[in-house]
Amino acid sequence: MTSIEFSYSLNQLSGVLKPFALKLTRDLDDANDLLQDTMVKAYTNQDKFADGTNLKAWLYTIMKNTFITNYQKMVRRATFVDTTENLHYINSSGALIENSVYGDFTLEDIYEAINRLDEVFSTPFMLYYRGFKYHEIAERLSIPIGTVKNRIHIARKYLKEDLIVYKHVN
């Protein structure tokens, strides 16, 4: 493939790559940057592209790897490392004072609201809350997975409405 053909193919595929970049970054500006980085890497590594291979897949791989590398750099930059010698207060629970009354009060209200739910909605909701996956709940209750998702959604909706009303009353 000549350099002109390669450039033309890259330009044609840039429109296909943009939605993938948006999916990865969830931000238009970051997606444009990722797309640009991908194109630059593709141009600079044109000699590594073998004729007859899938150019689109090659570009997707470059984009995914670029995104992962950039994400790892960002995480490393945001990591705080304490180099001081006095680590006395780190992880020291003795310095913390908790007010559990407010937390217990809220949790009590939530459980009361769950108990007011119809069992058809509360059972799948509580199973999901305890960590079961949708398909596990569906198998356990012998109902379709769509029904499980719907009942959990309705339970959340009722709980939200119930707790908002309770908050305004008290």
Side-chain angles (χ1 to χ4, degrees):
M1 180 181 293
T2 67
S3 191
I4 294 172
E5 291 172 334
F6 187 77
S7 297
Y8 178 76
S9 297
L10 285 182
N11 287 334
Q12 294 297 314
L13 291 172
S14 66
V16 177
L17 290 171
K18 189 161 187 173
F20 184 58
L22 274 168
K23 183 179 178 186
L24 290 172
T25 62
R26 295 189 176 113
D27 181 70
L28 184 61
D29 293 331
D30 290 341
N32 287 332
D33 290 344
L34 180 60
L35 181 62
Q36 185 177 8
D37 289 345
T38 302
M39 291 302 169
V40 168
K41 286 182 180 182
Y43 279 119
T44 56
N45 293 300
Q46 178 182 352
D47 58 320
K48 294 178 184 169
F49 177 72
D51 281 336
T53 58
N54 187 345
L55 179 62
K56 188 174 173 183
W58 189 66
L59 291 171
Y60 274 109
T61 303
I62 291 172
M63 182 174 281
K64 180 187 66 147
N65 290 341
T66 302
F67 173 77
I68 290 169
T69 302
N70 291 343
Y71 180 79
Q72 289 171 340
K73 284 180 187 175
M74 182 186 68
V75 168
R76 276 193 300 268
R77 251 186 271 128
T79 302
F80 174 75
V81 178
D82 187 6
T83 57
T84 60
E85 290 183 30
N86 185 1
L87 302 176
H88 177 71
Y89 289 106
I90 294 179
N91 297 326
S92 173
S93 61
L96 298 176
I97 300 173
E98 289 187 34
N99 184 355
S100 63
V101 174
Y102 182 74
D104 292 344
F105 176 75
T106 304
L107 194 58
E108 237 175 69
D109 295 334
I110 292 170
Y111 281 125
E112 284 178 22
I114 291 171
N115 288 334
R116 286 192 292 271
L117 280 176
D118 189 344
E119 189 177 334
V120 170
F121 303 113
S122 67
T123 302
F125 177 80
M126 288 307 294
L127 288 171
Y128 183 75
Y129 174 75
R130 290 184 182 122
F132 288 91
K133 305 288 185 219
Y134 289 129
H135 70 340
E136 294 172 331
I137 299 168
E139 288 174 12
R140 183 174 240 177
L141 299 178
S142 301
I143 57 176
I145 196 166
T147 305
V148 169
K149 291 178 180 181
N150 187 38
R151 289 181 182 174
I152 291 171
H153 172 74
I154 291 171
R156 286 179 180 155
K157 185 176 138 189
Y158 283 148
L159 289 171
K160 182 178 177 183
E161 290 170 2
D162 192 12
L163 292 171
I164 287 172
V165 168
Y166 181 81
K167 182 179 175 184
H168 290 297
V169 171
N170 291 328

